[in-house]
Amino acid sequence: MALHRLTQIVMGVPNPEDTAAYYAEFGLIPRTGEEVTVFDATTPAPTGDHTFATVDGGEQLRIVQSARRRLVRLGVGADDPDDLDRIAASLAALGIPVERTGTAARAVDPGTGVTVQVEMASRYRQAPTPAPPYNAPGVDARTEHRAPGILREQAVRPRKLGHVVLGSTDQEFSQKFFQQGIGFKVSDTVPGLAAFMRCSTDHHNVLVQQAPVAYLHHTSWQVDDVDEVGRGATSMLARDPARHVWGLGRHHVGSNFFWYLRDPAGNFSEYYSDLDCIIDDALWKPGVWEGARGLYSWGPPPPPSFLAPEDLAAMMTGAHQPR
Ligand SMILES: [Fe+2]
């Protein structure tokens, strides 16, 4: 696959200091100004921005000032310049203006308002994570020892940025933009509402859902296993229980364990583990899902604020105009 990963996202919020403090607690690794390197040298990080790394993905989150919360930019990693040429041509065929530099192709999806930047990037090299020994009926995989998940004391550190979920005022066109324009593949769909799309072997890297206003619904960060999902969320909630949104549960589409929390700007952030993986496209059968069945397999029911965040109305009425 020519596209192979998400690289870095730029998140715009009205309160970058508070939001940055939240993501440091979430387990992302803050970078100082001297260490900041941005994938595309034509857009250096302005002083005062907050940049965070994951364990395996390098610098993957930049937080900047914005009048209202939104995803400003989404970076997608590609192998070589031919990919950028193909994408520029495909986007042009959709009538989308493309900015092409030596190492990147950049265009704005009108439905989500997000600048998508496809850029040359190295592939992930994730060290294999040993599965903890789980006892099961007839399987004594762990004897005379307590479960590793209860003994861990180190802070939870997300391994990589997994996916973003975006509200689009034109879901149909946004899907076209990502699928036909950029080259994402569709893993599953909820007709008329959403499409789960991938640019890697992850089940989804971008989900675009129909919404009354363009906005960032959530970002999702991979951790080692379900114990890390639980430990991460528990630690965040110990600091502030009001951060809780939805979890612990297991999604049906994508299969992953999840727990969603709310950052101080109103964006949701998800810890996830055990997402479906698609290596051979021919062997995956995309599904069509309706309603709550696709949303989760088990867990508490999703709160209404997960499906329609409480600040949507304020964003719609223009109380916070994007600048
Ligand atoms: Fe998610």
Side-chain angles (χ1 to χ4, degrees):
M1 195 188 289
L3 304 176
H4 56 82
R5 61 177 291 198
L6 297 184
T7 53
Q8 184 192 60
I9 53 172
V10 179
M11 181 192 284
V13 295
N15 50 350
E17 301 294 328
D18 290 348
T19 304
Y22 170 95
Y23 284 98
E25 278 182 46
F26 189 77
L28 301 184
I29 305 157
R31 290 290 175 94
T32 65
E34 300 81 61
E35 292 172 311
V36 168
T37 54
V38 177
F39 281 100
D40 180 2
T42 60
T43 54
T47 311
D49 288 359
H50 300 272
T51 307
F52 294 88
T54 57
V55 173
D56 297 328
E59 289 157 12
Q60 295 210 278
L61 172 64
R62 179 144 63 104
I63 296 171
V64 301
Q65 176 82 41
S66 173
R68 73 168 173 87
R69 67 182 185 91
R70 66 198 186 99
L71 188 64
V72 176
R73 197 175 75 192
L74 172 68
V76 177
D79 283 324
D80 58 65
D82 287 353
D83 302 320
L84 305 181
D85 294 337
R86 172 186 57 76
I87 288 163
S90 302
L91 287 168
L94 292 176
I96 298 287
V98 182
E99 188 186 337
R100 178 78 160 86
T101 68
T103 57
R106 194 180 306 160
V108 179
D109 166 37
T112 58
V114 173
T115 298
V116 177
Q117 176 166 302
V118 185
E119 55 202 353
M120 310 284 289
S122 56
R123 292 188 170 232
Y124 281 121
R125 280 186 294 274
Q126 291 193 289
T129 305
Y134 284 109
N135 290 336
V139 179
D140 296 331
R142 188 190 72 251
T143 61
E144 292 74 60
H145 287 93
R146 302 179 200 280
I150 69 162
L151 299 174
R152 296 172 188 164
E153 291 181 348
Q154 71 278 23
V156 170
R157 293 278 181 221
R159 300 287 297 266
K160 69 173 186 181
L161 168 66
H163 60 266
V164 299
V165 171
L166 302 166
S168 170
T169 53
D170 188 348
Q171 191 269 334
E172 195 177 338
F173 188 83
S174 291
Q175 183 174 338
K176 213 177 273 184
F177 177 94
F178 280 99
Q179 193 179 356
Q180 295 175 23
I182 307 290
F184 279 60
K185 295 168 183 175
V186 173
S187 300
D188 282 301
T189 54
V190 182
L193 189 67
F196 294 76
M197 296 180 283
R198 66 186 187 277
C199 63
S200 72
T201 57
D202 294 337
H203 175 276
H204 54 282
N205 301 106
V206 169
L207 168 59
V208 177
Q209 58 189 17
Q210 185 66 37
V213 63
Y215 76 105
L216 172 60
H217 185 274
H218 72 263
T219 60
S220 188
W221 304 86
Q222 183 192 50
V223 294
D224 288 353
D225 55 29
V226 66
D227 281 304
E228 294 301 89
V229 173
R231 287 198 329 114
T234 300
S235 168
M236 293 297 279
L237 296 177
R239 296 279 191 102
D240 182 359
R243 289 168 167 169
H244 176 74
V245 177
W246 187 31
L248 169 73
R250 189 157 189 150
H251 282 304
H252 192 80
V253 178
S255 300
N256 54 300
F257 295 109
F258 66 82
W259 201 321
Y260 293 88
L261 304 158
R262 186 186 294 101
D263 78 18
N267 308 294
F268 302 152
S269 60
E270 175 187 15
Y271 290 113
Y272 82 91
S273 70
D274 195 24
L275 182 75
D276 288 337
C277 178
I278 302 170
I279 304 274
D280 186 339
D281 294 337
L283 297 179
W284 178 260
K285 294 183 176 49
V288 176
W289 307 95
E290 302 281 356
R293 178 77 180 106
L295 200 51
Y296 71 121
S297 180
W298 57 259
S305 63
F306 179 80
L307 303 173
E310 282 154 7
D311 59 353
L312 266 192
M315 288 198 280
M316 281 172 64
T317 55
H320 307 287
Q321 288 292 340
R323 65 175 186 178

